[in-house]
């Protein structure tokens, strides 16, 4: 009987380890962060705040202006999200919610009460500093669900001769039905 109890206690301990808790927090959902034309993916943690953020991003990307704070860029998210603050030491690449409505993106570490949102994927500490424009203020940051295509604007230059083009994009002969540039 004692061996059975010892076995059950061991199994309970293994099942409740912090590694399984950390893995359970990760979501399969990624979002994208774009700064200065560069885009990186972010793996979100699973909590109410990230669910609310994803729901907001389903309507449209969110663009915010963030300022430097010697270890992070931070600023107002423009909306409040549900907090579940805990004392954590944020590491480079971590994205957290501060006071319910401020987003902080770290390029160094800091300990405070935050709600975890996610982590920028695959950048070294020096690459993060460059990507986040460490040391600069008024950095425009866009959060989105879809990776941007890289097409910022579409411009049409009016041609004086009113040329027409085929669907393949080649210049069409006069009278040909195609796409008209006017």
């Amino acid at each position: 009987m004692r061996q059975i109890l010892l076995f059950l206690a061991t199994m309970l301990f293994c099942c409740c380890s912090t590694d399984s808790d950390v893995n359970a927090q990760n979501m399969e959902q990624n979002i994208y962060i774009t700064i200065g034309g560069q885009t990186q993916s972010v793996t979100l943690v699973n909590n109410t705040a990230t669910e609310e953020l994803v729901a907001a991003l389903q309507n449209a990307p969110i663009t915010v202006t963030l300022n430097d704070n010697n270890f992070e860029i931070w600023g107002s998210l423009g909306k409040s999200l549900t907090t579940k603050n805990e004392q954590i030491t944020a590491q480079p690449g971590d994205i957290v919610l501060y006071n319910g409505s401020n987003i902080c993106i770290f390029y160094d570490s800091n300990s405070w009460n935050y709600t975890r949102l996610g982590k920028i994927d695959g950048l070294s500490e020096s690459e993060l500093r460059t990507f986040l424009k460490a040391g600069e203020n008024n950095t425009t940051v866009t959060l989105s669900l879809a990776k941007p295509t890289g097409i910022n604007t579409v411009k049409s230059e009016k041609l004086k001769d009113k040329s027409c083009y085929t669907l393949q994009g080649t210049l069409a002969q006069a009278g040909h039905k195609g796409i008209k540039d006017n």
Side-chain angles (χ1 to χ4, degrees), residues 112-126:
W112 201 259
N113 287 324
Y114 299 116
T115 298
R116 289 186 188 275
L117 295 177
K119 186 167 186 80
I120 297 174
D121 300 321
L123 294 180
S124 69
E125 197 169 327
S126 64

Side-chain angles (χ1 to χ4, degrees), residues 6 13 15 17 25-26 39 44 49 51 59 66 73 77 91 107 118 136 138 146 151 167 173 181-182:
L6 184 59
F13 177 78
C15 291
S17 72
Q25 287 182 350
N26 289 335
T39 301
L44 297 176
E51 290 170 4
N59 295 325
L66 303 182
I73 59 173
L77 187 57
Q91 299 297 318
Y107 58 84
E136 296 181 25
N138 299 315
I151 299 172
L167 292 176
Q173 299 297 323
D181 182 18
N182 52 343

Side-chain angles (χ1 to χ4, degrees), residues 41-102:
S41 66
V42 174
T43 300
L44 297 176
V45 297
N46 188 10
N47 62 32
T48 304
T50 56
E51 290 170 4
E52 292 170 358
L53 179 60
V54 168
L57 291 172
Q58 288 174 345
N59 295 325
I62 297 172
T63 300
V64 295
T65 301
L66 303 182
N67 292 302
D68 188 80
N69 196 24
N70 296 321
F71 53 88
E72 67 184 351
I73 59 173
W74 75 281
S76 175
L77 187 57
K79 61 178 73 274
S80 290
L81 302 176
T82 302
T83 59
K84 187 177 179 189
N85 291 333
E86 58 183 325
Q87 179 70 35
I88 63 172
T89 299
Q91 299 297 318
D94 284 348
I95 301 175
V96 301
L97 187 65
Y98 173 69
N99 281 345
S101 62
N102 292 304

